[in-house]
């Protein structure tokens, strides 16, 4: 029993030494102070009204929105869920799910990775602009860069082809105050938080392996 307690005390000492070394390394490398102890949601910053952020797992951040559009051109409520894994060892990634209840729409968009840009039509949804035509409603996704400077744009827009030209909501007076609507639009730094979380997970697994070997 005494030997087991001694081993536990030794493990705690090793963990404390790792944490001290980690903090010392970060100071020497000059990481900005504002990165320390921040959560994923804090890094994303202020979200649009009708959106909220939560962190269901160590390396995941989820943003969920239920956005009502009350416009002459577009009167509907759209749900959007963004499940983001910036620390994915294969490259930062996100999955998106877009829903609309009146037409039973559920559009899953899986595994968007850094370096990708997509405009994905939402089947069955459009914006009617008198004198022009119906503009299809699209999910707009852009993800580029690396952990230290990850640019993300996720939202909704409406565009249509007219006489060999593309017209989008931003060019239509009145509609340009409604669309595009961005949930995420910025460049974020996840390098420090991904490193600290990955190290914490690895350290926990190593300690579990040591305890298992002792037993």
């Amino acid at each position: 029993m005494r030997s087991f307690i001694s081993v536990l005390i030794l493990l705690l000492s090793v963990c404390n030494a790792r944490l001290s070394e980690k903090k010392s390394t970060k100071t020497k490398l000059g990481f900005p102070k504002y990165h320390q102890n921040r959560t994923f949601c804090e890094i994303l910053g202020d979200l649009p009204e009708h959106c909220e952020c939560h962190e269901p797992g160590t390396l995941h951040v989820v943003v969920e929105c239920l956005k009502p559009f009350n416009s002459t051109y577009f009167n509907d409520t759209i749900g959007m869920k963004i499940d983001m894994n910036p620390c994915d060892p294969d490259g930062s990634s996100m999955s998106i799910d877009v829903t609309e209840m009146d037409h039973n729409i559920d559009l899953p968009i899986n595994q968007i990775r850094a370096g990708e840009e997509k405009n994905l039509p939402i089947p069955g949804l459009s914006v009617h602009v008198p004198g022009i035509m119906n503009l299809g409603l699209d999910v707009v996704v852009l993800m580029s860069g690396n952990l230290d400077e990850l640019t993300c744009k996720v939202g909704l827009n409406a565009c249509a082809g007219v006489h060999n030209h593309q017209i989008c909501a931003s060019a239509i007076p009145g509609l340009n105050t409604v669309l595009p609507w961005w949930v995420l639009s910025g460049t974020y730094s996840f390098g420090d938080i991904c490193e600290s979380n990955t190290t914490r997970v690895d350290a926990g697994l190593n300690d579990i392996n040591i305890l298992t070997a002792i037993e």
Side-chain angles (χ1 to χ4, degrees):
M1 183 66 181
R2 288 181 179 177
S3 62
F4 181 72
I5 292 174
S6 299
V7 171
L8 286 179
I9 293 172
L10 178 61
L11 285 174
L12 288 173
S13 300
V14 171
C15 288
N16 287 332
R18 284 176 178 168
L19 288 175
S20 298
E21 181 182 354
K22 190 70 177 175
K23 290 178 181 178
S24 175
T25 302
K26 285 183 180 179
T27 303
K28 290 177 182 178
L29 291 175
F31 283 110
K33 290 183 179 180
Y34 61 81
H35 281 190
Q36 296 178 8
N37 302 320
R38 296 182 77 196
T39 67
F40 287 104
C41 288
E42 287 172 341
I43 290 172
L44 290 180
D46 294 334
L47 296 173
E49 189 180 4
H50 310 294
C51 295
E52 61 181 24
C53 178
H54 56 99
E55 300 177 30
T58 306
L59 301 175
H60 275 258
V61 58
V62 173
V63 176
E64 294 188 88
C65 307
L66 190 61
K67 168 65 175 174
F69 291 91
N70 300 310
S71 165
T72 304
Y73 301 111
F74 185 50
N75 192 336
D76 207 336
T77 299
I78 306 295
M80 180 179 288
K81 178 180 179 180
I82 303 168
D83 188 342
M84 191 174 179
N85 183 0
C87 307
D88 190 333
D90 294 326
S92 300
S93 63
M94 70 170 72
S95 298
I96 303 168
D97 191 42
V98 179
T99 57
E100 194 270 356
M101 294 184 62
D102 291 343
H103 299 87
N104 297 316
I105 292 172
D106 187 350
L107 177 65
I109 304 167
N110 297 319
Q111 290 298 307
I112 303 292
R113 293 197 174 274
E116 293 188 77
E117 180 177 4
K118 295 187 177 182
N119 285 3
L120 302 166
I122 304 176
L125 290 185
S126 61
V127 178
H128 179 65
V129 181
I132 301 179
M133 62 182 306
N134 289 338
L135 280 67
L137 193 66
D138 299 333
V139 181
V140 182
V141 186
L142 166 68
M143 199 176 196
S144 64
N146 54 46
L147 282 177
D148 293 318
E149 293 186 3
L150 188 65
T151 299
C152 299
K153 293 192 76 171
V154 182
L156 300 175
N157 200 5
C159 296
V162 179
H163 303 304
N164 298 321
H165 295 284
Q166 188 177 54
I167 295 180
C168 293
S170 58
I172 301 174
L175 184 56
N176 59 2
T177 61
V178 180
L179 294 169
W181 174 70
W182 300 110
V183 178
L184 298 178
S185 181
T187 298
Y188 311 97
S189 181
F190 294 105
D192 191 46
I193 190 172
C194 286
E195 182 183 356
S196 62
N197 275 283
T198 301
T199 301
R200 192 178 301 121
V201 170
D202 290 343
L205 290 174
N206 289 336
D207 292 343
I208 290 172
N209 290 334
I210 294 172
L211 287 173
T212 302
I214 292 171
E215 293 175 356

